[in-house]
Amino acid sequence: MATDRIATVAPVPEAAATGKVAAVYADIKATKNITFVPNMWRVLATNPDHLELVWTRLKAIMHPEASGRTSQLDPLTRELIALAVSATNGCSYCVNSHTAAARKLGLGVEALGEVMAVIALFNSTNAIADGYQIEPDILPPQE
């Protein structure tokens, strides 16, 4: 059954955005250097405070340079972490979004395959270790 529905609520179109929503939409497009507001943000805009909260958090963590901050992680590394978590959580929207962002940052198809292999490997070994309840014996330094 074909439908134009993209979510459980009607997204807020860019043309209908006012106030806080319009400001966040403009910031999303400027920060991400894109010409449209993605569906995720248009759906979150049904609750302007939630939209602002999620965007502010995402911008601070995924685009720290936009706020004049520096990061120990480069943009591609941040996108690959987001991709790994999204794939593990089974979020197709986020898998597609972060794959597109990683590809835009130069990740090739073969490297994407390696990323997926690492994700699959550690989802498997994590499940094994968790299933056996193996006690950790290799610990990070306590600095």
Side-chain angles (χ1 to χ4, degrees):
M1 175 200 276
T3 179
D4 291 334
R5 183 175 166 155
I6 65 163
T8 59
V9 297
V12 177
E14 288 184 64
T18 60
K20 184 183 292 188
V21 172
V24 172
Y25 279 8
D27 195 28
I28 289 167
K29 292 193 305 187
T31 301
K32 293 179 151 297
N33 194 26
I34 56 178
T35 59
F36 68 99
V37 177
N39 289 340
M40 175 76 164
W41 304 109
R42 293 187 314 112
V43 168
L44 284 174
T46 59
N47 181 319
D49 290 336
H50 194 212
L51 169 68
E52 182 180 53
L53 176 70
V54 175
W55 170 245
T56 300
R57 251 182 104 207
L58 185 134
K59 182 179 176 182
I61 294 168
M62 294 300 287
H63 303 281
E65 63 285 345
S67 301
R69 295 184 321 103
T70 58
S71 174
Q72 297 297 306
L73 302 176
D74 63 87
L76 180 57
T77 299
R78 292 192 298 266
E79 289 297 341
L80 293 179
I81 293 167
L83 174 58
V85 172
S86 299
T88 298
N89 287 336
C91 179
S92 63
Y93 181 90
C94 295
V95 166
N96 280 281
S97 175
H98 295 294
T99 298
R103 296 294 311 276
K104 188 176 178 180
L105 289 168
L107 186 74
V109 176
E110 190 171 338
L112 177 61
E114 283 187 55
V115 170
M116 291 300 173
V118 171
I119 293 167
L121 171 66
F122 282 91
N123 277 323
S124 170
T125 59
N126 285 190
I128 292 167
D130 194 41
Y132 280 115
Q133 292 292 290
I134 301 170
E135 183 178 331
D137 57 354
I138 301 172
L139 302 172
Q142 294 181 350
E143 297 178 280

